Amino acid sequence: MRIDQNLATGGGSSRVATGETTVPGRIDVKERVYRTVTEQASATLIGVPRGDVKVDVTEHPGGIAVRIATPLPIPDLDDTVAISQSVPVLDRARQLQEQLQQRLTGIIGRDVTRITLTITGATIPERRRVR
């Protein structure tokens, strides 16, 4: 994946309205960089270890398409209060798609036009005792 910069007349740098200098040339970002960043951001947002998240990133018309496979944290099934207060799985998945699109677009700097989220299982987060 690469970004080509417009070359100014005469090969010099040009000023953009924001005051930034544009240097002629191109920027190459390997797909594995997008994949690594997407894995880490997704794992953090979802609340699972990075190793549990599998990501594919591909070019898509107008931006990037992301496929994420991950387990979803759920409350302990013995904790009826937490279950009654939790959001249903499909609603939670839709919320995660929206949050991931916003976060990844901001981090990567490219439009994330499609997110396919596959829930591969459920995990129960470990409770930590406060001393």
Side-chain angles (χ1 to χ4, degrees), residues 43-108:
T44 301
L45 182 68
I46 295 166
V48 295
R50 181 175 159 207
D52 290 351
V53 178
K54 304 298 180 231
V55 171
D56 285 323
V57 179
T58 57
E59 289 285 335
H60 192 60
I64 295 175
V66 178
R67 236 186 272 151
I68 302 169
T70 180
L72 187 67
I74 62 167
D76 189 338
L77 298 179
D78 292 332
D79 190 351
T80 57
V81 173
I83 290 173
S84 66
Q85 294 175 350
S86 67
V87 177
V89 172
L90 288 176
D91 293 342
R92 176 91 195 282
R94 286 184 190 106
Q95 290 171 355
L96 285 171
Q97 276 183 308
E98 292 173 10
Q99 292 170 349
L100 285 165
Q101 182 182 22
Q102 292 170 0
R103 181 172 286 178
L104 292 173
T105 296
I107 292 171
I108 293 173

Side-chain angles (χ1 to χ4, degrees), residues 12-66:
S13 61
S14 62
R15 285 254 178 224
V16 180
T18 60
E20 297 177 15
T21 303
T22 303
V23 179
R26 72 176 195 225
I27 299 169
D28 291 326
V29 179
K30 301 291 182 185
E31 285 187 28
R32 70 176 178 255
V33 173
Y34 289 131
R35 189 174 49 248
T36 302
V37 169
T38 302
E39 282 176 357
Q40 184 61 51
S42 300
T44 301
L45 182 68
I46 295 166
V48 295
R50 181 175 159 207
D52 290 351
V53 178
K54 304 298 180 231
V55 171
D56 285 323
V57 179
T58 57
E59 289 285 335
H60 192 60
I64 295 175
V66 178

